[in-house]
Amino acid sequence: MQWSDRYTYYQNIVEEALDSAIPLAVSPWEEGQIPQRLAEAMRYSLLSKGKRIRPVLLLAALDVAGGDLRCGIPFAVAIEMIHAYSLIHDDLPAMDNDMLRRGQPTNHCKFGEWTAILAGDALLTEAFHIMAQSDSPYALKVIKEMAKRAGAYGMVAGQTADLSFEGKLADENMLSYIHRHKTSDLFIASMNAGFMLAGSDDGLIKAAENYAKMLGLAFQITDDLLDVLGSSEEVGKAVGKDDDKLTWTNLKGVEQAKIDAEKAVQKAVDYAQSFDFSDYAFFAPLAQSLLQRVK
Ligand code: GRG
């Protein structure tokens, strides 16, 4: 099977699981159900057309390490919920103030600001509710990993730095800090969760973490490049909005950004050698495909 077919295979598992993760209530205030308006707003962002790269990484890591895919599904759903919450909050007027996400109006444009804030809050909390119901012996280890990478030490730290440095001068160290936390941390959580759920040893988990760090860096640099070179129709969100931001392209220029993306991809490919070891290659070609990203 081609790596891209395998990606689609995992993606389909994720889509089906996401659809049943947030049920729609039969009436607006049914006891024991999510209020209708809230469930609609949660589903709107969670089910809109995303690439699902984080849950795909989780399932692929679990698969390559010989684990049971079924036990990864709640965790795959959870990481996509955490990602969806972060996008909803990032788009709010108090943060990036964006109108378009995944080719459709952002959550607050569609449902209003307070509903969008609550939909984000609820997705984040529900992610942990779902993971806590797993009976995997590794569930607690994975939950700790998710909390560390998504929260105050991880993605939220990256977002804090990103917003703090808007319109200000900073160096490459700060830029790396932002990318490492805002983007790579959820990639790391995904890979680590997959290997942890399969009971892999610490050596493999370290290699997965190094791979995810580089994949995240390449992903973010190509995201910065898309903001400069991409079209809003293709990317599905506003482009050319990062002029004031500390981005790879603003700090180093477009040509150097392309070179740095290639270097990060090469490092990711090198790390993938240690675990891309089954009868198919998945992680190396996935990293290489980032250089052709259009959305
Ligand atoms: C609000 C705590 C908090 C964090 C927000 C996700 C995020 C952090 C900000 C969005 C802006 C941004 C460029 C983040 C870097 C990560 C990134 C490229 C997110 C977009 O992820 P994709 O491309 O999106 O995987 P899809 O739509 O495919 O799921």
Side-chain angles (χ1 to χ4, degrees):
M1 206 193 278
Q2 284 267 331
W3 80 270
S4 52
D5 294 334
R6 193 161 282 273
Y7 192 105
T8 310
Y9 168 71
Y10 297 131
Q11 221 175 14
N12 290 338
I13 297 177
V14 172
E15 291 300 340
E16 201 184 311
L18 289 177
D19 192 34
S20 47
I22 308 289
L24 267 183
V26 285
S27 66
W29 302 108
E30 192 74 22
E31 200 52 59
Q33 307 263 317
I34 302 173
Q36 226 170 35
R37 177 192 179 97
L38 181 61
E40 274 171 24
M42 291 166 81
R43 286 176 64 86
Y44 178 79
S45 290
L46 188 65
L47 301 181
S48 59
K49 284 266 162 274
K51 295 182 288 296
R52 315 299 187 207
I53 186 166
R54 297 156 191 82
V56 164
L57 282 175
L58 190 152
L59 293 180
L62 180 60
D63 208 8
V64 79
D68 177 358
L69 275 188
R70 275 170 308 181
C71 106
I73 292 175
F75 298 90
V77 166
I79 193 86
E80 188 63 19
M81 283 183 169
I82 295 171
H83 172 57
Y85 120 77
S86 78
L87 297 179
I88 296 174
H89 281 192
D90 184 64
D91 290 335
L92 287 169
M95 296 205 197
D96 265 11
N97 195 18
D98 272 310
M99 314 282 201
L100 196 65
R101 168 73 65 183
R102 294 176 169 173
Q104 61 178 30
T106 46
N107 201 291
H108 67 274
C109 286
K110 174 89 178 166
F111 295 95
E113 210 173 328
W114 64 260
T115 307
I117 293 171
L118 294 175
D121 294 341
L123 281 165
L124 174 60
T125 318
E126 198 48 25
F128 285 87
H129 186 202
I130 289 176
M131 289 189 286
Q133 290 168 56
S134 159
D135 53 13
S136 160
Y138 304 106
L140 193 56
K141 190 175 177 186
V142 175
I143 290 170
K144 276 190 209 159
E145 172 73 11
M146 295 278 196
K148 177 176 140 190
R149 303 284 175 190
Y153 298 90
M155 180 177 66
V156 178
Q159 180 76 347
T160 305
D162 187 32
L163 295 173
S164 304
F165 280 93
E166 220 172 281
K168 299 204 179 97
L169 285 177
D171 60 10
E172 194 174 330
N173 278 341
M174 185 42 70
L175 183 61
S176 297
Y177 178 97
I178 292 173
H179 286 2
R180 192 162 65 248
H181 293 299
K182 201 175 80 164
T183 309
S184 293
D185 271 346
L186 283 201
F187 283 53
I188 296 173
S190 307
M191 291 291 293
N192 283 357
F195 280 111
M196 283 174 182
L197 288 167
S200 302
D201 62 45
D202 289 348
L204 211 51
I205 292 174
K206 189 72 209 157
E209 184 171 326
N210 285 331
Y211 167 82
K213 212 180 272 176
M214 284 304 134
L215 190 76
L217 177 61
F219 193 84
Q220 183 63 62
I221 300 175
T222 51
D223 204 68
D224 290 350
L225 279 164
L226 282 177
D227 185 73
V228 178
L229 306 174
S231 75
S232 150
E233 291 74 38
E234 243 176 349
V235 184
K237 61 180 182 182
V239 295
K241 274 201 76 208
D242 291 350
D243 288 357
D244 242 18
K245 287 215 161 196
L246 185 57
T247 65
W248 213 270
T249 41
N250 287 346
L251 194 72
K252 304 183 103 188
V254 166
E255 289 317 310
Q256 189 58 43
K258 286 183 182 166
I259 294 169
D260 291 345
E262 277 170 29
K263 279 190 198 155
V265 165
Q266 191 47 53
K267 282 190 189 159
V269 168
D270 293 343
Y271 286 125
Q273 311 290 312
S274 48
F275 52 79
D276 228 353
F277 44 45
S278 66
D279 54 347
Y280 62 88
F282 181 78
F283 295 98
L286 171 63
Q288 278 154 339
S289 76
L290 289 187
L291 298 173
Q292 270 83 51
R293 257 184 96 186
V294 290
K295 64 178 185 174

